[in-house]
Amino acid sequence: AQSVTQPDIHITVSEGASLELRCNYSYGATPYLFWYVQSPGQGLQLLLKYFSGDTLVQGIKGFEAEFKRSQSSFNLRKPSVHWSDAAEYFCAVGATPGSARQLTFGSGTQLTVLP
Amino acid sequence: DSGVTQTPKHLITATGQRVTLRCSPRSGDLSVYWYQQSLDQGLQFLIQYYNGEERAKGNILERFSAQQFPDLHSELNLSSLELGDSALYFCASSANDRDPNYGYTFGSGTRLTVV
């Protein structure tokens, strides 16, 4: 069964600083990988996804993520963080097409942005 | 507004009671997924329906059940409620369950508090 590990429960960065959120996955085949963001009281919004092809994927709000098969990682990055990026971030892995599409989520990383 | 509508937004009920959570998927989406988000378990997949039929089951308790109606809205029924059922319940929808351009849209959730 697939699993996702987000090793950092809480990260604090200053506004304008760069950000990297870590995600490691365990999956037998080529994974479908996702990053979601959840603001307080809100649902989850998809930031970006990786299926195949270019291992560096661009998402919304200036985020990008890099798929590294050798490291089983899919880390999320942003070059300059804005105060509005404060939220909880979830990495998820999905089943391949042809099977049920439930996602397995990591435990999340809470991001605090200092002024 | 994501297009996925969940009602009610908040629900407070007593132990032993039964509640029904409702989800209207995004227009055109045939597949509905239910997730539970709690502090100790994180985001857990409960169940998926596709065009009225159950497609996959995750960590759903026997006290919980769901269905999807001909108009594609879905209901999650939680019975014999316990304090530990207090959580945020999310619904998500997608166009189908074999779309290679995979991705869900989440609703904003129903916060259930069992007292």
Side-chain angles (χ1 to χ4, degrees):
Chain A
Q2 61 263 39
S3 67
V4 177
T5 301
Q6 293 181 247
D8 304 306
I9 296 173
H10 194 183
I11 282 185
T12 300
V13 299
S14 297
E15 192 169 17
S18 64
L19 172 70
E20 182 168 29
L21 302 182
R22 296 184 291 165
C23 171
N24 292 98
Y25 67 89
S26 172
Y27 190 68
T30 300
Y32 284 17
L33 295 162
F34 306 81
W35 275 99
Y36 283 86
V37 61
Q38 184 180 24
S39 298
Q42 301 295 315
L44 287 87
Q45 181 182 22
L46 179 66
L47 286 176
L48 47 77
K49 57 192 175 186
Y50 171 78
F51 297 150
S52 64
D54 192 347
T55 57
L56 185 63
V57 293
Q58 302 297 321
I60 62 171
K61 304 185 180 188
F63 285 93
E64 67 179 25
E66 186 171 12
F67 170 61
K68 293 186 178 180
R69 184 187 301 275
S70 61
Q71 298 177 19
S72 297
S73 70
F74 188 57
N75 294 348
L76 182 71
R77 300 194 296 247
K78 187 169 185 178
S80 178
V81 170
H82 188 262
W83 63 266
S84 61
D85 294 324
E88 189 155 22
Y89 292 80
F90 293 91
C91 181
V93 63
T96 55
S99 64
R101 294 175 58 182
Q102 65 267 31
L103 299 182
T104 299
F105 285 86
S107 54
T109 297
Q110 182 69 46
L111 174 66
T112 297
V113 180
L114 300 177
Chain B
D1 181 7
S2 67
V4 178
T5 304
Q6 290 189 248
T7 57
K9 292 194 182 306
H10 301 276
L11 198 48
I12 301 175
T13 190
T15 54
Q17 295 299 302
R18 172 189 170 94
V19 297
T20 297
L21 312 183
R22 182 187 169 102
C23 169
S24 295
R26 198 177 50 168
S27 178
D29 284 357
L30 299 177
S31 203
V32 169
Y33 309 77
W34 286 97
Y35 282 82
Q36 179 194 58
Q37 185 179 33
S38 61
L39 285 176
D40 55 345
Q41 296 290 323
L43 268 160
Q44 299 278 319
F45 168 72
L46 296 178
I47 197 164
Q48 178 202 0
Y49 277 83
Y50 175 70
N51 203 20
E53 293 186 2
E54 182 184 304
R55 187 72 79 172
K57 259 185 177 178
N59 299 322
I60 188 166
L61 300 172
E62 286 191 11
R63 300 183 285 109
F64 295 1
S65 65
Q67 54 184 328
Q68 186 179 28
F69 295 87
D71 67 352
L72 301 177
H73 90 271
S74 178
E75 293 180 356
L76 179 66
N77 300 297
L78 315 177
S79 62
S80 302
L81 285 167
E82 302 174 359
L83 295 178
D85 298 327
S86 296
L88 195 52
Y89 290 84
F90 284 109
C91 169
S93 72
S94 66
N96 58 59
D97 66 352
R98 293 176 188 271
D99 182 357
N101 190 28
Y102 205 137
Y104 297 170
T105 302
F106 278 87
S108 56
T110 292
R111 182 168 295 282
L112 173 66
T113 303
V114 182
V115 298

